């Protein structure tokens, strides 16, 4: 039989003024199963908690109801007190007679009657509570970082420097990401590679980091602390253990006319190549799609010249499997493909800007390569068509961004800053040239950002035109940029036409190709644009809704370098926090399946936001499959109960908010 | 000379009963079907259908009978179990319906005397109508009685030429009711009885021995596959009497109810362990037949079937107990019972040739 | 047509592609057909098909006591095709477990109406074919009309209507047993910890049972009407189901049983689902 | 049909999600916003946990109206529980209406943890509305039969 203790708190005057607490205690004393009911000024005070502890021991209570403030306020307090007296903390419930009663009602009779009912509800609930025990989950102290751009590098280094193991997976032959492509960075104009490459080297040398480049995550299963990750190591055709990185193979490779991805097509590379001089690891791969040996079977020069015999045409993709405790996703961004449009997303391109048609219409990353000392022009701003220094350059912002009609509705955020930087760099290198910038707004919120833009305009003389460009066409070897200057009125209607030598489009930032597939492998959410979804936009911007998976950098939303680095360090801190003990302890509010009655429709699986429903096969003695039934992975379950309400046969229940409990609570309201 | 009730006086009879504060129950049309129900006025009586959808058993053994109600106090439980059924005239049942009452009397009274059943029985006067027609589901004659049998009735009305019923007072209760409502009856020379007898369709005597000998028989694996496992047959049956006693309530109190239950439900024999000794629908059908024609007969000397045909007319998949009894009759004729002491001969050739993929 | 049907059943059984064919068998009259279970190629002549074949045979596909280990052939009207689509969608068996023998009748229930074989073989083909056949046709117009009549009443009048209808319910569960979608091992009404739905055949329990059953069919009921036909007490259960199906269609643009590969509407959502009723 | 009885005080049973509406009601309390005492809340994890049977059971226990309230779309603590709930209630309230339960007795709202004022105003509004509807005697008839 239940032996319930009820403790009515006055909360000083807060409850006592409107609720007749002695009367509530007297009524509660008459409820079936209640063996002890008292009221007291401050239940949460030491003496108040002492009363509860004493009663638990003296009256051998099997459950406790504290009628006081909101359980969101003091439930932990009273549960702890119960635990200290030897009662399982989950056998304690609170009736909220302050926030939900005394503070919101004025008439004492009504408030007291309501308080009595609220106590009755919790008495009936607690009679059906069961002792629950925190769920312990072991933690594998090894993190996986997906993506070796600046965010991934930062996260990996922070975790590794925190003393934990890291596996870093990068799909390209080298880590470094887009930051390695940049010339200088705003607002300080320090050289991007100069600040990045030491960190890349640190990654490669770090004893706690295992680096897999030219590799992709094949599959992920498991849950927080216990992921099983399979990684595909794509066939490099080069044995990186043997390879010394001497570069002879690339020098001798006869296939030299392949547009370089690193140089955004402005420079050329060979079929066996390292993406750039400072690549980490500095070991080449063979681009099988362009290699003569792979295309025709003839050639084999690189194998012949390799002094250590590292070239291996027969190499195949291999797989490694890693036990992982936490995952940081840092897959970064790409630029909006405005030439082809993004048909998969139902977005048209900007054919009117002539990209692909006119060699001298380039995008922001191409400009970076032109301005970079390691770039195809050695840092000279020369136009791609004829290699001449452009006298007039037009920069167009918001190409694809902030364009609901044929682009993306969001602001790509970094363009205002990098276009200012581009204009500045251009002026520094082509002193007599003119830089025009078409803009919608200037968004330069950031430390020293607005000052930077002002410098571009005021010191370096960039001409900012507020308006949009409607069309670009050629006249002779010039590009005619036709647009509107909305600040100009008059008969011309603000129409402007600029004769330019080169046009730079600040195209929108997009998440990397394949992000949706990766998100599905990881069971994390993504928005309509493919950006990965954080657990809470304000308070949990680094976590995902899948416990143990964190986000860093532009995969979560548009970001500049300092923001990406900051989030990466945040993710690393989350991982280190998770790894700070050998076991995870979770509140035991989880769902449970009655497998003997489950019919395996798996609606529960479909409504579970955490992929906590697993399938289990039931077999008879002869090994024949009898049924497939659902099973809750308590490590993943967050206890929302969506599965319970979806189950037609009531074959799932939620600990702490069970069917029996709710049934009786409603009954308590008669 | 005999006592007669002119057909046009039927309503007067009912009105008389109502005036004497009887609850009057009879066939009435509701939402397109004809049911036994309390009649609000004599005009609601509907004798269009050969047989009603429900049987009369629910006026003696209701689908849910409250045995007691209880209220939970702090330390004690308050119980109320007063029971006083209304005085009732039940008109319009058939000879098969009435016969079911005799069999139910034995069931509910052989050991513990079921207070609720017998109080309702005592309070009810049963006026039965002999049948002037039958349909293909009727088989009372196969069970050894007929459409003008008097068993279980207090008064039997036999339709006769001349738009009148011949009134047979069967019991004292019936005679008392006739005395109470004497105005509506007349004395006269009866016309010829208009009673229709269905033909006999199987040999009842062969059924029980065959069932006793053939607990395992391919029939069970082949003939009952379509059964959906609903309770229609058993709930419409005037004889099926299985019930479940449930406490229905919540934290304040509740009621202990005696509710109909059905051997055709998968949960009927489910053990707490999870084991179910009747795991397949076919095994539940076998139980239904054996209960009706073996166990009940052994215990009470009569079959728990009155041939009313309701289970046949209402089965959603047209599984007919009559067809199966005819089949068993044929089987029994093809493989007669062995003389005492001999080894059973087993199943007939036709069945032996069948290897079934079904398990029961 | 019946010869084609039998020929396909004969082939399936003869070639060992299925261990069992479930179809309609001849009763005492053309109107009185009933489900038959055929395991031998030489017994296919027991199969018939006519406009009176109204039992939804898909109900047997989840009956563990009669399903053989191998594949099963099913004489499938549009109702069965759609039922199978829902059952496959709900993981009750793999699509290749059931070999559908598609049939259809121009006007089910009408004497002499023409019947024909469906062309599709796979579930996907048959789903498309059935969708095409049913396009623009409401096979249950009378039901829809009665739903409208009820909708025109006040809530009080409707409550009185259903109170009267449900008062006849004897809790025989013929509705549930005849329904292919009611495949739960243990129905909610048979759960007693807690007993949400009183099991006694009384007004409250009857109301809860019938309303919750209709809700449990949301986005799943294909409108075959088996429940209403099975009900021995003539309760118009099809009205409840038709109402729910219409709401699902109007709110989520979904009709059950035309595509087994999409998620069921009650286990999925759109962020822009309607919510004008939420304050 | 609609009667306003001076003595009639409706009983409204509310099912609230822990993270938004329950917290919003807490905020109404901390802000000392007054509202009628007719509402009785049962705290659950999420609107996604709330089953149709809870509503029916509430009517069985004499509720004159029921309220389900949780997080605004997109704000669910568990990401999507309220989206599933919204579909459930879209269908169930129509079914209840069709089965004879006045939709004015079956209420839904989104109230966030910050909307203490919305909560207090909502309770005042629905209490007045249900008071005007009068006691749910027609359902009581079924419960008692």
């Amino acid at each position: 039989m239940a032996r319930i203790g009820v403790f009515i708190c006055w909360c000083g005057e807060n409850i006592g003024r409107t609720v007749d607490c002695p009367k509530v205690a007297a009524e509660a004393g008459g409820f079936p199963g209640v063996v002890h009911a008292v009221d007291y000024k401050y239940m949460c005070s030491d003496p108040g908690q002492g009363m509860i502890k004493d009663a638990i021991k003296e009256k051998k209570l099997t459950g406790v109801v504290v009628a006081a403030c909101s359980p969101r306020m003091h439930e932990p307090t009273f549960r702890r007190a119960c635990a200290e007296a030897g009662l399982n903390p989950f056998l304690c419930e609170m009736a909220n007679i302050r926030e939900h009663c005394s503070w919101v009602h004025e008439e004492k009779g009504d408030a007291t009657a309501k308080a009595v009912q609220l106590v009755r509800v919790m008495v009936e609930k607690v009679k059906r509570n069961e002792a629950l025990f925190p769920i312990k989950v072991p933690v594998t102290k090894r993190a996986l970082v997906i993506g070796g751009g600046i965010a991934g590098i930062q996260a990996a280094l922070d975790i590794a420097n925190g003393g934990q193991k890291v596996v870093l997976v990068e799909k390209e032959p080298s880590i470094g990401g887009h930051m390695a492509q940049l010339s200088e960075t705003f607002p300080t104009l320090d050289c991007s590679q100069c600040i990045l490459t030491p960190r890349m080297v640190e990654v490669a040398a770090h004893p706690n980091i295992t680096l897999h480049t030219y590799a992709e995550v094949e599959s992920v299963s498991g849950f927080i602390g216990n992921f099983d990750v399979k990684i595909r190591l794509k066939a490099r055709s080069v044995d990186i253990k043997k390879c010394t990185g001497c570069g002879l193979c690339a020098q001798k490779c006869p296939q030299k006319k392949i547009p370089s991805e690193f140089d955004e097509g402005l420079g050329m590379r060979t079929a066996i190549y390292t993406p750039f001089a400072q690549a980490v690891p500095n070991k080449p791969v063979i681009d099988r799609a362009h290699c003569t040996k792979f295309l025709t079977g003839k050639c084999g020069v690189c194998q012949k010249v390799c002094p250590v015999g590292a070239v291996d045409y027969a190499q195949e993709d291999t797989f490694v499997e890693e036990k992982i405790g936490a995952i940081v996703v840092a897959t970064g961004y790409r630029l909006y493909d405005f030439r082809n449009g993004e048909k998969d997303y139902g977005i048209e391109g900007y054919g009117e800007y002539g990209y692909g048609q006119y060699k001298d219409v380039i995008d922001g990353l191409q400009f970076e390569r032109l301005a970079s000392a390691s770039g195809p022009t050695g840092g000279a701003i020369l136009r791609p068509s004829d290699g001449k220094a452009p006298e007039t350059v037009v920069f167009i912002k918001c190409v694809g961004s902030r364009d609901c009609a044929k682009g993306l509705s969001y602001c790509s955020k970094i363009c205002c800053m990098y276009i200012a930087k581009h204009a500045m760099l251009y002026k520094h290198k082509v002193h007599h040239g003119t830089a025009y910038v078409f803009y919608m707004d200037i968004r330069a919120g950031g430390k020293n950002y607005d000052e930077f833009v002002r410098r571009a305009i005021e010191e370096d003389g960039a001409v900012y035109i507020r308006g949009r460009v409607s069309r670009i066409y050629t006249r002779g070897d010039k590009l005619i940029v036709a647009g509107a200057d909305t600040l100009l009125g008059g008969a011309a209607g603000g129409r402007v036409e600029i004769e330019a030598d080169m046009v730079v489009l600040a195209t929108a930032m997009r998440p990397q190709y394949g992000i949706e597939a990766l998100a599905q492998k990881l069971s994390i959410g993504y928005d309509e644009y493919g950006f990965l979804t954080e657990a809470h936009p304000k308070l949990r911007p680094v976590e995902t809704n899948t416990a143990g998976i964190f986000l860093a950098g532009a995969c979560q939303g548009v970001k500049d370098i300092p923001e990406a680095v900051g989030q990466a360090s945040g993710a690393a801190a989350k991982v280190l926090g998770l790894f700070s003990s050998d076991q995870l302890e979770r509140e035991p509010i989880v769902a449970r399946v009655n497998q003997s009655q489950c019919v395996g429709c798996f609606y529960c699986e479909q409504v579970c936001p955490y992929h906590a429903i697993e399938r289990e096969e039931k077999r008879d003695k002869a090994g024949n499959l009898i049924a497939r039934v659902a099973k809750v992975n308590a490590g993943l379950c967050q206890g929302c109960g969506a599965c319970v309400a979806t189950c037609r046969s009531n074959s799932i229940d939620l600990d702490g908010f069970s069917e029996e409990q709710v049934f009786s609570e409603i009954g308590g309201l008669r | 000379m005999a006592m007669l009730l002119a057909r046009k006086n039927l309503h007067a009879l009912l009105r008389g009963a109502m005036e004497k504060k009887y609850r009057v129950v009879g066939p009435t049309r509701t939402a397109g079907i004809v049911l036994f129900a309390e009649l609000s006025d004599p005009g609601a009586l509907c004798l269009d259908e050969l047989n009603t959808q429900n049987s009369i058993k629910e006026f003696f053994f209701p689908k849910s009978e409250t045995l007691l109600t209880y209220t939970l106090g702090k330390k004690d439980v308050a119980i109320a179990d007063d029971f006083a059924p209304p005085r009732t005239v039940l008109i319009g049942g058939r000879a098969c319906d009435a016969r079911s009452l005799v069999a139910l009397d034995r069931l509910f009274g052989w050991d513990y005397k079921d207070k609720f059943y017998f109080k309702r029985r005592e309070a009810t006067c049963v006026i039965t109508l002999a049948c002037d027609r039958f349909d293909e589901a009727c088989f009372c004659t196969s069970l050894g009685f007929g459409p003008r049998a008097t068993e279980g009735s207090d008064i039997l009305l036999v339709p006769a030429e001349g738009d009148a019923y011949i009134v047979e007072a069967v019991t004292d209760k019936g005679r008392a009711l006739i005395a109470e409502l004497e105005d509506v009856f007349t004395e006269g020379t009866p016309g010829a009885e208009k009673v229709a007898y269905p033909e006999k369709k199987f040999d009842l005597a062969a059924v029980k021995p065959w069932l006793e000998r053939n607990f395992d028989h391919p029939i069970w694996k082949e003939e009952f596959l379509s059964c959906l496992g609903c309770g229609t047959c058993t709930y419409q049956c005037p004889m099926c009497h299985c019930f479940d006693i449930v406490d229905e309530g919540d934290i304040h109190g509740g009621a202990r109810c005696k509710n109909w239950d059905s051997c055709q439900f998968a949960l009927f024999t489910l053990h707490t362990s999870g084991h179910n000794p009747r795991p397949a629908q076919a095994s539940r059908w076998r139980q239904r037949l054996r209960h009706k024609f073996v166990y009940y007969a052994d215990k009470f000397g009569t079959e728990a079937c009155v041939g009313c045909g309701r289970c046949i007319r209402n089965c959603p998949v047209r599984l007919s107990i009559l067809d199966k009894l005819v089949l068993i009759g044929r089987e029994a004729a093809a493989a007669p019972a062995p003389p005492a002491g001999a080894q059973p001969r087993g199943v007939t050739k036709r069945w032996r040739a069948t290897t079934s993929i079904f398990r029961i | 047509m019946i010869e084609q049907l039998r020929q396909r059943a004969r082939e399936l059984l003869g070639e060992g592609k299925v261990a069992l064919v479930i179809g309609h068998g001849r009763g005492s009259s053309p109107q009185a057909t009933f489900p038959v279970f055929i395991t031998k190629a030489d017994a296919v002549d027991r199969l018939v098909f006519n406009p009176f074949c109204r039992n939804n045979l898909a109900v047997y596909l989840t009956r563990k006591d009669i399903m053989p280990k191998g594949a099963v052939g099913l004489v499938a009207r549009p109702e069965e095709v759609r039922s199978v689509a829902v059952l496959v969608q709900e993981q009750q068996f793999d699509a290749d477990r059931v070999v559908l023998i598609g049939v259809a009748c121009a006007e089910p229930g009408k004497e002499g109406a023409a019947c024909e074989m469906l062309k599709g073989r796979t579930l996907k083909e048959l789903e498309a074919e059935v969708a095409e056949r049913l396009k623009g046709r409401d096979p249950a117009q009378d039901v829809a009309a009665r739903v409208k009549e009820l909708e025109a009443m006040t809530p009080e009048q409707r409550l009185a209507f259903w109170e009267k209808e449900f008062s006849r319910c004897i809790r025989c569960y013929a509705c549930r047993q005849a329904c292919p979608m009611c495949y739960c091992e243990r129905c909610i009404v048979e759960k007693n910890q807690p007993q949400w739905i009183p099991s006694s055949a009384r007004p409250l329990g009857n109301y809860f049972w019938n309303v919750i059953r209709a809700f449990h069919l949301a986005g799943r009921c294909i409108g075959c009407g088996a429940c209403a036909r099975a009900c021995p007490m003539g309760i118009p259960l099809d009205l409840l189901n038709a109402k729910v199906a219409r709401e699902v269609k109007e709110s989520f643009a979904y009709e059950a049983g035309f595509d087994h590969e999409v998620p069921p509407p009650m286990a999925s959502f759109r962020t822009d689902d309607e919510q004008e009723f939420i304050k | 049909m609609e009667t306003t009885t001076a003595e009639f005080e409706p009983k409204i049973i509310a099912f609230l999600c822990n993270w938004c509406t329950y917290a919003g009601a807490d905020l109404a309390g901390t802000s000392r916003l007054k509202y009628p005492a007719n509402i009785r809340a049962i705290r659950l994890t999420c609107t996604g946990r709330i089953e149709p049977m809870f509503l029916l059971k509430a009517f069985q226990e004499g509720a004159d109206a029921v309220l389900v309230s949780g997080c605004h779309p997109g704000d669910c603590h568990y990401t999507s529980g309220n989206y599933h709930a919204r579909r459930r209630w879209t269908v169930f309230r129509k079914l209840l209406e069709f089965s004879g339960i006045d939709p004015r007795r079956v209420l839904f709202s989104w109230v966030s943890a910050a909307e203490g004022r919305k909560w207090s105003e909502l309770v005042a509004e629905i209490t007045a509305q249900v008071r005007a509807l009068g006691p749910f005697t027609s359902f009581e008839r079924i419960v008692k039969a």
Side-chain angles (χ1 to χ4, degrees), chain D residues 4-71:
Chain D
T4 314
T5 319
E7 305 86 63
F8 172 60
E9 282 300 333
K11 174 150 83 186
I12 302 170
I13 296 183
F15 299 95
L16 310 184
C17 94
N18 179 53
W19 306 96
C20 291
T21 306
Y22 195 91
D26 275 359
L27 179 63
T30 1
S31 316
R32 310 297 201 276
L33 301 169
K34 305 298 177 209
Y35 56 81
N38 304 63
I39 195 142
R40 304 280 186 272
I42 289 177
R43 181 171 71 115
L44 291 146
T45 48
C46 176
T47 45
R49 168 72 183 88
I50 300 165
E51 297 166 25
M53 267 319 301
F54 295 3
L55 276 62
L56 291 179
K57 176 76 182 165
F59 284 123
Q60 180 186 349
E61 297 296 352
D64 297 297
V66 294
L67 169 69
V68 173
S69 187
C71 308

Side-chain angles (χ1 to χ4, degrees), chain B residues 253-304:
Chain B
R256 177 159 296 172
C257 302
K258 183 171 88 177
N259 293 340
W260 288 354
D261 202 351
S262 171
C263 58
Q264 298 305 298
F265 292 157
L267 257 57
F268 187 73
T269 48
L270 182 66
H271 293 183
T272 311
S273 66
H275 173 64
N276 194 336
R278 290 185 210 135
Q281 210 49 46
S283 52
R284 295 167 201 139
W285 247 90
R286 176 172 61 197
Q287 166 64 19
R288 179 164 164 243
L289 279 165
R290 288 176 66 92
H291 187 191
K292 286 188 178 302
F293 293 93
V294 180
Y295 312 136
Y296 196 88
D298 278 345
K299 196 167 177 67
F300 299 114
T302 179
E303 295 72 33

Side-chain angles (χ1 to χ4, degrees), chain C residues 6 13 20 53 56 58-59 63 67 79 111 125 137 140 146 149 168 203-204 237 241 252 263:
Chain C
R6 287 173 183 161
L13 287 163
L20 167 70
C53 295
N56 190 331
V59 73
R63 296 293 162 93
M67 279 299 110
E79 287 88 339
E111 182 96 52
E125 287 164 9
R137 275 186 21 187
R146 286 164 69 208
E149 273 172 39
R168 295 198 301 279
L204 186 74
L237 299 167
N241 296 338
F252 314 134

Side-chain angles (χ1 to χ4, degrees), chain A residues 14 17 69-73 75 79 93-96 98-106 110-111 113-114 117-118 121-122 125 533 535-536 540 545 589 606-610 638-646 650 652-654 657-659 662-670, chain D residues 9 11-55 57-63 74-81 84 88 113 119-120 123:
Chain A
N14 281 312
R17 191 186 303 123
C69 52
S70 171
R72 298 172 57 84
M73 178 91 184
E75 191 180 78
R79 286 192 165 170
E93 293 284 353
M94 288 188 73
N96 185 346
R98 191 179 74 175
E99 285 86 342
H100 285 202
C101 190
S102 72
W103 275 349
V104 289
H105 307 317
E106 287 166 307
D110 288 350
K114 179 169 172 179
Q117 268 207 329
L118 295 180
V121 166
M122 292 330 282
K125 180 179 186 190
T533 313
H536 190 282
R540 297 171 71 198
N545 272 317
I589 306 298
Q606 297 176 66
V607 301
C608 178
Y610 306 104
Q638 302 289 315
C640 70
C643 54
V644 182
T646 303
N650 260 21
I652 316 185
D653 211 342
L654 182 64
F657 294 88
S658 70
E659 295 285 290
V662 179
F663 182 84
S664 305
E665 286 181 75
I666 303 170
L669 287 172
R670 177 174 303 167
Chain D
E9 282 300 333
K11 174 150 83 186
I12 302 170
I13 296 183
F15 299 95
L16 310 184
C17 94
N18 179 53
W19 306 96
C20 291
T21 306
Y22 195 91
D26 275 359
L27 179 63
T30 1
S31 316
R32 310 297 201 276
L33 301 169
K34 305 298 177 209
Y35 56 81
N38 304 63
I39 195 142
R40 304 280 186 272
I42 289 177
R43 181 171 71 115
L44 291 146
T45 48
C46 176
T47 45
R49 168 72 183 88
I50 300 165
E51 297 166 25
M53 267 319 301
F54 295 3
L55 276 62
K57 176 76 182 165
F59 284 123
Q60 180 186 349
E61 297 296 352
D75 292 356
C76 177
H77 180 76
Y78 305 102
T79 335
S80 53
H84 289 294
R88 200 173 292 148
W119 173 252
S120 65
V123 175

Side-chain angles (χ1 to χ4, degrees), chain C residues 26-221:
Chain C
R26 191 192 308 276
S28 53
S29 70
Q31 283 86 347
T33 63
F34 55 82
V36 289
F37 299 78
I38 294 171
T39 55
K40 297 266 179 290
D42 57 15
V44 297
D45 289 345
R46 292 176 63 203
L47 290 170
V48 296
F49 188 71
N50 66 38
F52 302 106
C53 295
R54 302 296 295 272
N55 285 113
N56 190 331
L57 303 177
V59 73
Y60 296 109
L61 298 174
T62 51
R63 296 293 162 93
K64 286 187 179 133
D65 54 340
I66 56 171
M67 279 299 110
K69 275 191 196 135
V72 173
L74 184 78
V75 174
R77 302 165 303 140
E79 287 88 339
E80 275 87 4
V81 171
R82 293 179 65 190
S83 300
V84 168
V86 175
L87 292 171
V88 172
Q89 180 187 34
E90 296 183 355
Q91 331 270 326
Q92 293 307 297
F93 43 79
D94 296 333
D96 57 11
R97 191 69 213 286
V98 178
V99 180
L100 297 166
I101 305 170
V103 293
C105 179
E107 284 175 89
K110 191 181 170 202
E111 182 96 52
C115 296
E116 59 176 325
M117 299 292 290
L118 293 173
K119 289 185 196 70
R121 286 289 190 268
T122 64
L123 178 56
K124 211 160 174 54
E125 287 164 9
L126 282 162
E127 282 169 351
E129 191 176 345
V130 166
E132 188 58 35
R133 282 183 76 91
L134 297 179
K135 196 185 280 174
R137 275 186 21 187
D138 185 354
Q141 275 169 0
D142 52 328
V143 177
R146 286 164 69 208
V147 168
K148 285 226 162 64
E149 273 172 39
L150 271 176
E151 285 171 339
M153 297 179 183
T154 65
E156 292 286 329
Q157 288 169 323
R158 276 195 297 270
L159 191 63
F161 171 84
W162 287 113
E163 197 181 349
K164 185 154 174 270
E165 293 294 326
F166 294 155
S167 72
R168 295 198 301 279
C169 178
I170 52 174
R171 307 296 277 278
C172 67
Y173 303 119
C175 47
R176 179 183 76 189
Q177 297 303 110
C179 176
M181 308 320 162
C182 279
Y183 52 71
C184 284
E185 290 270 329
R186 187 143 179 186
C187 176
I188 175 89
V189 76
E190 285 154 352
K191 297 268 167 114
N192 57 6
Q193 288 182 316
Q195 182 101 42
W196 288 111
I197 303 174
S199 59
S200 301
R202 291 166 188 278
L204 186 74
N206 289 355
Y207 184 90
F208 282 7
W209 158 245
N210 286 292
V211 168
I212 287 294
R213 195 184 100 85
F215 179 72
H216 282 184
L217 286 168
R220 310 171 64 235
C221 173

Side-chain angles (χ1 to χ4, degrees), chain A residues 358-629:
Chain A
Y358 310 132
K359 280 187 169 174
D360 297 330
V361 178
I362 62 173
D363 69 19
L365 271 176
Q366 289 179 313
F367 189 87
E368 292 288 345
R369 295 313 299 147
L370 287 180
S372 170
S374 71
T377 59
I381 309 288
L382 303 173
R383 56 184 219 168
S385 58
D386 53 11
K388 287 186 193 152
E391 303 283 313
T392 306
V393 179
V394 173
F395 296 90
I396 304 174
K397 295 207 282 187
C398 301
V399 178
S401 308
R402 302 178 67 197
D403 186 346
C404 296
K406 52 186 188 176
L408 303 142
S409 59
Y410 59 86
C411 165
S412 288
K413 193 174 173 181
I414 61 167
C415 324
C416 284
M417 293 305 296
Y418 82 65
I419 290 296
K421 178 188 75 178
H422 286 177
M424 210 181 262
L425 292 178
Y426 167 68
K427 289 288 287 180
H428 293 177
K429 296 188 176 187
V430 184
H431 301 299
H432 59 284
T434 314
Y436 292 96
V437 177
F438 280 91
Y439 71 103
M440 286 164 70
D441 301 287
I442 298 172
R443 298 181 169 184
K447 195 171 176 180
N448 296 323
Y449 281 16
D450 201 56
E451 296 89 322
F452 183 79
V453 176
R454 295 242 68 86
R455 235 170 82 200
I457 298 168
E458 291 161 8
E459 292 177 25
D460 294 309
V463 182
Y464 270 62
I465 300 169
R466 190 172 194 280
R468 297 288 284 168
V469 170
S470 57
R471 196 169 155 234
I472 298 171
Y473 56 98
T474 50
R475 188 185 296 148
D477 67 344
K478 297 284 187 189
L479 292 162
I480 309 302
V481 179
D485 183 341
T486 56
L487 299 180
L488 275 183
R495 272 171 53 185
V496 290
E497 241 185 42
I498 294 166
E499 207 169 72
D501 298 305
M502 190 163 87
V503 176
V504 180
L505 306 179
T507 49
M509 261 176 125
R510 305 276 289 119
Q512 278 292 356
Y513 290 114
I515 191 79
E516 293 90 347
L518 179 67
Q520 283 156 12
K521 280 179 198 167
L522 293 167
S523 304
I524 57 178
Y526 51 90
D527 67 16
E528 59 186 299
Y529 305 112
F531 287 117
L532 300 177
T533 313
E534 63 281 5
H536 190 282
K538 311 286 181 302
L539 300 177
R540 297 171 71 198
V542 173
E543 289 129 297
T544 64
N545 272 317
T546 301
I549 301 185
F550 307 98
L551 303 175
C555 62
Q556 180 257 340
V558 292
K559 278 187 190 63
D560 60 17
I561 293 167
E563 286 175 331
V565 169
Q567 195 185 18
S569 288
K574 290 280 171 195
V575 172
L576 290 172
L578 177 61
F579 288 178
S580 63
S581 58
D582 298 330
Q583 284 188 320
L584 284 168
E585 225 174 60
R586 299 228 3 256
E587 207 188 26
I589 306 298
V590 290
R592 271 191 294 188
V593 178
N594 179 345
Q595 291 192 333
S596 68
Q597 294 173 2
C598 169
V599 273
C601 73
F602 293 106
Y603 269 44
C604 50
E605 183 187 75
Q606 297 176 66
V607 301
C608 178
Y610 306 104
H611 302 268
I613 303 286
E614 296 174 351
R615 296 181 180 212
E616 196 164 276
E617 294 191 338
K618 293 277 169 204
R619 294 180 182 278
D620 62 14
K621 283 178 195 149
N624 300 311
L625 181 68
I626 305 169
R628 272 186 213 101
V629 295

Side-chain angles (χ1 to χ4, degrees), chain B residues 168-205:
Chain B
E168 286 185 22
V170 183
T171 63
D172 289 345
K173 203 196 298 176
R175 276 183 280 277
L177 185 74
I178 290 170
E180 213 176 341
L181 305 168
E182 59 183 352
D183 299 355
V184 300
F185 299 100
T186 51
E187 287 285 323
T189 310
E193 288 188 5
K194 295 197 294 183
V195 178
Y197 290 78
E199 66 172 311
K200 208 172 150 201
K201 288 166 181 162
F202 60 89
D203 175 15
L204 178 65

